[in-house]
Amino acid sequence: MTQSPRTLINFAVLGVAFLAFLIFSVMRYAPYTGFMLGYDDELDELRVVNLDGWVETQGLQLGDTIESITNADGLRMTIERRHILKSSAEARQYYGNRSQRLIEIDRLYELFNHSPIVISRGDGTEVTLVLDRQRPISSLSLSFWALFFISLTAPLVSSIVWAWQPKKPEASLLLISGLGFFASCFSSVASIYNTDMFYIPLFLHWLIRCALDLGQFTFAVFGTAVLLYYPNRLSFAPKALKALLAGYFIYPPLRLVQWLVVQRLRLRHLPGVQRCRSL
């Protein structure tokens, strides 16, 4: 390794910056509705609890009751309590498994991704909204920012350690473990429940889920491998590391195949979506 620590640290910082850009790209990929729905427990209704000025000028008002939404492609969905969730505990109340929830989120992504949309209100009137804005940074919650910075800490610290000691195996293992920690936290960042009306397509959820599984596995395997060399190198460290590497490369494909099989079986039992004429 001929590069100086300063050069390697520069590459490390650029790498972490790219990871940060990746998170923001995912967050801003989702269509932005400009309004947020909340559930009124007393009246058993979904109401508009927050909205941007550009949405209000198009006719939607605070307190409006929402019944259904139709998009430009003719996709119509009745908006229910299960579509506006605040925690994983609430999700378990309305969905039998994760796949059902992700399929429903994918449908909502398709619904809001084809503008304009027509919102049917509880009083029988309709409002047409043109969704042509990207999600502003200000719409992201404090919990998002907290987890965002946590997710970047591990790869930044571990990459700087590796840059100063690139020839030491424990430094390399720590770097890989830090990247695994990022992948795991990144998946959690993209699953924050209280991000306003945040819906992304199924394929992106699939990638995030794979990143979560692989990130947790990477963090655990290579984090454990660090202890083989630090603070004192164990006599069986090379053999143990080979065994861990073998398991690392065998487990993810098997886990992926299992997930795909289960996903296919669940998809067969999910109900269809009502469609109506195009607008």
Side-chain angles (χ1 to χ4, degrees):
M1 187 68 64
T2 58
Q3 290 84 356
S4 67
R6 181 177 179 180
T7 301
L8 294 176
I9 289 175
N10 289 337
F11 277 113
V13 173
L14 288 175
V16 172
F18 172 76
L19 297 179
F21 173 77
L22 182 64
I23 292 179
F24 279 112
S25 298
V26 171
M27 298 302 294
R28 305 197 72 182
Y29 185 82
Y32 181 59
T33 63
F35 64 90
M36 181 63 185
L37 298 178
Y39 188 71
D40 190 326
D41 294 309
E42 295 183 359
L43 300 177
D44 191 25
E45 295 175 338
L46 280 174
R47 294 182 175 273
V48 178
V49 296
N50 188 26
L51 78 168
D52 294 346
W54 62 271
V55 175
E56 190 172 11
T57 58
Q58 296 186 56
L60 196 64
Q61 302 295 322
L62 283 175
D64 283 349
T65 302
I66 305 301
E67 297 291 338
S68 64
I69 298 177
T70 307
N71 70 5
D73 279 3
L75 177 63
R76 179 178 182 273
M77 291 186 65
T78 300
I79 307 301
E80 303 174 8
R81 178 69 180 85
R82 61 195 176 105
H83 297 137
I84 311 297
L85 301 173
K86 295 296 184 180
S87 66
S88 57
E90 287 187 3
R92 287 191 289 270
Q93 295 177 9
Y94 294 93
Y95 297 101
N97 53 65
R98 182 188 297 269
S99 295
Q100 289 181 358
R101 175 176 173 264
L102 296 187
I103 292 296
E104 202 65 23
I105 291 177
D106 179 67
R107 291 171 177 168
L108 288 166
Y109 166 80
E110 291 296 330
L111 180 71
F112 292 114
N113 198 43
H114 295 84
S115 177
I117 62 173
V118 176
I119 300 177
S120 299
R121 295 185 285 196
D123 58 4
T125 60
E126 294 182 342
V127 176
T128 300
L129 291 184
V130 177
L131 307 180
D132 56 356
R133 310 291 179 94
Q134 273 197 323
R135 180 177 298 276
I137 300 300
S138 59
S139 70
L140 301 177
S141 64
L142 291 178
S143 56
F144 165 83
W145 290 109
L147 199 53
F148 171 75
F149 286 114
I150 291 174
S151 69
L152 294 180
T153 300
L156 179 61
V157 173
S158 60
S159 59
I160 291 177
V161 172
W162 171 80
W164 283 105
Q165 300 290 339
K167 295 184 179 181
K168 290 190 174 182
E170 59 266 35
S172 300
L173 294 171
L174 182 64
L175 171 62
I176 300 174
S177 180
L179 293 175
F181 181 84
F182 165 80
S184 180
C185 283
F186 163 74
S187 306
S188 300
V189 165
S191 300
I192 292 296
Y193 282 90
N194 57 355
T195 300
D196 291 357
M197 303 293 281
F198 179 69
Y199 304 109
I200 55 179
L202 186 61
F203 83 90
L204 197 51
H205 270 295
W206 179 82
L207 291 177
I208 290 173
R209 182 61 187 177
C210 289
L212 176 62
D213 290 339
L214 188 59
Q216 291 176 341
F217 194 60
T218 301
F219 174 70
V221 169
F222 289 94
T224 301
V226 171
L227 301 178
L228 298 174
Y229 294 88
Y230 185 86
N232 296 309
R233 177 172 177 170
L234 303 178
S235 59
F236 56 87
K239 294 182 179 180
L241 181 58
K242 290 180 181 178
L244 288 173
L245 288 174
Y248 177 79
F249 287 107
I250 292 174
Y251 174 78
L254 293 178
R255 183 70 179 88
L256 177 60
V257 170
Q258 178 190 15
W259 190 87
L260 291 175
V261 170
V262 173
Q263 183 81 351
R264 182 177 293 273
L265 291 175
R266 288 172 175 171
L267 285 175
R268 294 178 181 176
H269 301 287
L270 291 175
V273 180
Q274 179 183 359
R275 288 189 175 270
C276 64
R277 294 181 180 178
S278 298
L279 301 178

